[in-house]
Amino acid sequence: MNIFVLVKQVPDTETKIRVNASSSGIEAKEIAKWIVNPYDEHAIEEALKTKEKLKEGTVTAIAVGPDRVVEALRTALAMGCDNAIHIKADESIDTYVAAKALAAACKKESPQLIFAGKQAIDDDQAATFGYVAEYLDIPSVSVVVKVDVATDKKSLRAVREVEGGTHTVETSLPALIAVNQGINNPRYASLPGIMKAKKKEIKAHTLADLGLGSETALTKDSAFALPPPRKACVILQGEVPAQVKELVKRLREEAKVI
Amino acid sequence: MADVILIGEVNDGKLRRVTHEILGELVRQGVDPIVVIPGNGLAPSLAEELGKHGASKVVYLEHDGLKQYSTEGYANALHGYLGSKQISAIVTGATAQGKDFLPRLAAKLGVGMAGDCTELKASGGSFTVRRPVYAGKCSKAVEFVKGPAVFSIRPNVLQMETGKAKMASVEKAAANPGTIRAKIVEVHASGGKKVELTEADNIISGGRPLKEKFNILFECAETIGAAVGASRAACDEGFAAADMQVGQTGKTVSPKLYIACGISGAIQHLAGMRTAKVIVAVNKSADAPIFGVADYGLVADLFEVVPLLTQEFKALKS
């Protein structure tokens, strides 16, 4: 089975978020490290596990963005992906352009199954999966915590998390599955894997050669701002039972939340 | 003038609160939206309820194929209904359902979108929204280069409107859900009275020091109908289920009350809960960063505090 994984490179979760001078984004200098979006690590793991279970197939990681994203693709290769595709694009793209590009590059290779993370932890938009599936005209299931591909490889069942429970969704293939954490425990890249990944060729596309040279972002970001600072903390005093009594009193009378 | 479309969500025969919350905000900003509800055999009471919260126009977009939610059915039917109309904005709740179909609908319309917004501003038929990014460590304004503006709004953030009751007119429109390839075959409700984290008014969360004793949090939570959350460390170590994780790689919550027990307050965690209205921190270490965002702090052993808190809450309710 030809399996694809959509991978996004994001700033490390420990990054100190500051707004840049023009408020047009976060301060790039603060980003000490870029990582594979944690939800996409789960997607990579699920793709590799699916291949292992089916005992055949290839897993291709695909990412869109500036040259730095090659590093994320190397990580995907080191984890065990067979191939990687990099679509070169600058930082100005939005969900729409990124999804158009990912869909166009996927279309060339007709994957049967595409995995993605349910969202990226930088923009938190949780929309790329839907756009890509729509532009490929394939069904999608999001926030998935379990996947079972049918033995005939023509359909799958996915368990998706919803408020207060789950839905089990059955879909024909090809399909796109956006996974949530809890679906698996992503493997670490092995040392031989890392060595092998360094030598692998990464296929490159540009937006122009995907026929998307004239596409531009349809949303415009501005006015990045940090959340307003919270009031100073009131540290309750006295013995613990007195502190607890005081807390409940204040929650009731001062904060009026209970 | 172009219409504003609010896509309503029905759960268990009732509208989700977020539908009323968005409606309330639109009404306060002088927008009279058309509330479109996909489904089949929708009860007249839904429109009455919407009227009470300020809606004047409701459309029931009905088809047998919309009785049960499906990504494709909703996206197709809504696109079919809205595609040819003059529309300035399409908005829905950032729920499991809204987050699922809205990107596909936006893609069909060939427009950009903004997901999980916490503010919206309508002026002269155009919309600007603000949405948290980096799990709420920061937020940004989003403008739409071409219309309609498509966006979803986070539940529990905007206020419902109760003072502008109207009689809403109801129009029934025929829908075409098209071919549905991904279908729900099983619905499973998680057992008992478990309160959903992202919808909870009150949350009590625990960190690694709780170890196998999360039950004391559940006992305390039950007294005030709270949901129980956990830090990444507690989930990674298997002390709490993965779906309880609050933080950048878990759930983002904005309850009225958030009680953090034995959580030091890593950036990762703060990102997921800092928009809570009131934050209480219980931690043995006075230096824990959690006190930096908390409103009330107890520098104490959680194993001493939590049972006392349970007692106090119980006393309050009786």
Side-chain angles (χ1 to χ4, degrees), chain A residues 11 13-15 17 19 26 38-39 96 121-127 129-131 133-135 137-140 142 157 160-172 181-182 217-227 230-236 240-241 243-245 247-248 250-252 254-255 257-258, chain B residues 16 71-72 95-97 99-100 103-104 106-108 110-115 130-131 133-145 181-190 196 199 243 245 248-250 256-257 267 274 276-280 291 293-300 304-305 308-309 312-313 316:
Chain A
T13 49
E14 292 302 314
T15 305
I17 303 296
V19 175
I26 62 161
Y39 293 109
Y96 166 80
I121 59 150
D122 52 355
D123 201 42
D124 289 331
Q125 167 98 306
F129 79 90
Y131 276 87
E134 187 59 41
Y135 290 136
D137 190 18
I138 60 172
S140 56
S142 65
R157 273 183 172 227
R160 134 179 175 77
E161 284 186 338
V162 298
E163 292 87 355
T166 58
H167 288 165
T168 303
V169 178
E170 199 168 276
T171 178
S172 57
Q181 61 179 158
L218 295 181
T219 48
K220 224 166 77 187
D221 298 342
S222 64
F224 277 68
L226 296 182
R230 297 188 70 105
K231 274 186 301 190
C233 182
V234 176
I235 300 286
L236 303 171
V240 174
Q243 285 187 34
V244 173
K245 271 200 168 26
L247 172 69
V248 174
R250 286 189 183 234
L251 290 178
R252 228 176 122 77
E254 195 171 72
V257 286
I258 54 169
Chain B
R16 278 204 190 274
T71 323
E72 293 165 285
T95 56
Q97 183 174 305
K99 283 173 149 175
D100 188 57
R104 290 197 77 129
K108 280 180 188 291
V111 297
M113 71 160 271
R130 179 164 279 281
R131 51 185 302 271
V133 288
Y134 299 97
K137 289 181 213 167
C138 166
S139 71
K140 69 178 183 184
V142 180
E143 283 168 68
F144 300 89
V145 174
R181 293 162 291 190
K183 286 190 182 128
I184 298 176
V185 290
E186 228 176 276
V187 173
H188 182 257
S190 47
E196 170 64 24
E199 293 187 326
D243 66 355
Q245 189 187 320
Q248 190 167 13
T249 52
K256 289 199 182 91
L257 173 62
I267 301 181
R274 67 179 313 148
K277 192 174 160 223
V278 174
I279 298 171
V280 175
F291 290 113
V293 297
D295 299 279
Y296 302 108
L298 286 78
V299 182
E304 203 178 333
V305 171
L308 287 167
L309 198 54
E312 289 292 328
F313 283 152
L316 212 62

Side-chain angles (χ1 to χ4, degrees), chain B residues 154-294:
Chain B
R154 181 177 292 185
N156 253 353
V157 175
L158 304 177
Q159 302 304 313
M160 290 197 275
E161 182 63 58
T162 48
K164 293 198 176 116
K166 291 178 192 152
M167 282 293 287
S169 68
V170 184
E171 180 199 324
K172 289 201 179 195
N176 181 9
T179 313
I180 302 169
R181 293 162 291 190
K183 286 190 182 128
I184 298 176
V185 290
E186 228 176 276
V187 173
H188 182 257
S190 47
K193 300 165 280 185
K194 198 172 156 199
V195 185
E196 170 64 24
L197 266 179
T198 51
E199 293 187 326
D201 276 340
N202 304 317
I203 295 174
I204 302 181
S205 261
R208 187 162 28 197
L210 270 147
K211 298 222 168 108
E212 274 85 21
K213 298 210 173 100
F214 263 80
N215 61 312
I216 65 168
L217 295 192
F218 279 103
E219 281 159 27
C220 186
E222 210 185 317
T223 59
I224 52 166
V228 177
S231 70
R232 182 163 78 181
C235 293
D236 284 353
E237 303 241 357
F239 302 143
D243 66 355
M244 287 164 63
Q245 189 187 320
V246 172
Q248 190 167 13
T249 52
K251 289 182 171 145
T252 305
V253 297
S254 44
K256 289 199 182 91
L257 173 62
Y258 189 90
I259 306 179
C261 305
I263 292 177
S264 62
I267 301 181
Q268 217 277 129
H269 187 80
L270 300 184
M273 44 63 80
R274 67 179 313 148
T275 53
K277 192 174 160 223
V278 174
I279 298 171
V280 175
V282 181
N283 204 296
K284 275 203 277 197
S285 162
D287 302 328
I290 189 79
F291 290 113
V293 297

Side-chain angles (χ1 to χ4, degrees), chain A residues 9-252:
Chain A
Q9 192 188 40
V10 297
D12 187 73
T13 49
E14 292 302 314
T15 305
K16 176 101 186 144
I17 303 296
R18 285 183 213 280
V19 175
N20 65 17
S22 58
S23 303
S24 64
I26 62 161
E27 186 55 76
K29 277 187 299 218
E30 296 287 346
I31 305 170
K33 197 174 144 205
W34 292 87
I35 58 169
V36 172
N37 175 40
Y39 293 109
D40 300 349
E41 286 187 344
H42 291 281
I44 294 167
E45 177 63 34
E46 202 56 28
L48 296 172
K49 265 175 62 183
T50 304
K51 176 187 155 181
E52 287 159 7
K53 229 185 269 172
L54 298 173
K55 298 192 175 68
E56 60 93 11
T58 57
V59 176
T60 303
I62 179 166
V64 57
D67 287 336
R68 61 171 162 76
V69 308
V70 166
E71 198 191 322
L73 291 170
R74 295 263 177 232
T75 305
L77 290 169
M79 283 175 75
C81 293
D82 302 288
N83 309 303
I85 300 173
H86 174 211
I87 308 163
K88 295 178 187 221
D90 64 25
E91 310 269 2
S92 73
I93 61 168
D94 67 346
T95 305
Y96 166 80
V97 179
K100 275 253 158 172
L102 290 166
C106 284
K107 206 163 211 161
K108 286 177 180 287
E109 325 237 352
S110 322
Q112 272 296 98
L113 184 52
I114 303 176
F115 286 103
K118 68 158 184 170
Q119 73 188 70
I121 59 150
D122 52 355
D123 201 42
D124 289 331
Q125 167 98 306
T128 306
F129 79 90
Y131 276 87
V132 171
E134 187 59 41
Y135 290 136
L136 287 171
D137 190 18
I138 60 172
S140 56
V141 191
S142 65
V143 202
V144 168
V145 289
K146 191 171 187 291
V147 177
D148 279 309
V149 177
T151 42
D152 67 2
K153 299 175 201 171
K154 289 192 173 127
S155 67
L156 65 74
R157 273 183 172 227
V159 177
R160 134 179 175 77
E161 284 186 338
V162 298
E163 292 87 355
T166 58
H167 288 165
T168 303
V169 178
E170 199 168 276
T171 178
S172 57
L173 293 180
L176 191 155
I177 306 297
V179 307
N180 197 3
Q181 61 179 158
I183 191 169
N184 55 38
N185 293 309
R187 65 196 66 187
Y188 291 104
S190 64
L191 195 60
I194 295 168
M195 299 310 289
K196 243 167 71 187
K198 279 188 183 160
K199 288 183 213 135
K200 277 212 176 129
E201 194 196 337
I202 292 177
K203 198 192 268 187
H205 288 303
T206 60
L207 291 178
D209 67 45
L210 292 171
L212 302 170
S214 58
E215 294 284 1
T216 52
L218 295 181
T219 48
K220 224 166 77 187
D221 298 342
S222 64
F224 277 68
L226 296 182
R230 297 188 70 105
K231 274 186 301 190
C233 182
V234 176
I235 300 286
L236 303 171
Q237 305 295 333
E239 294 294 310
V240 174
Q243 285 187 34
V244 173
K245 271 200 168 26
E246 178 68 13
L247 172 69
V248 174
K249 186 168 172 243
R250 286 189 183 234
L251 290 178
R252 228 176 122 77

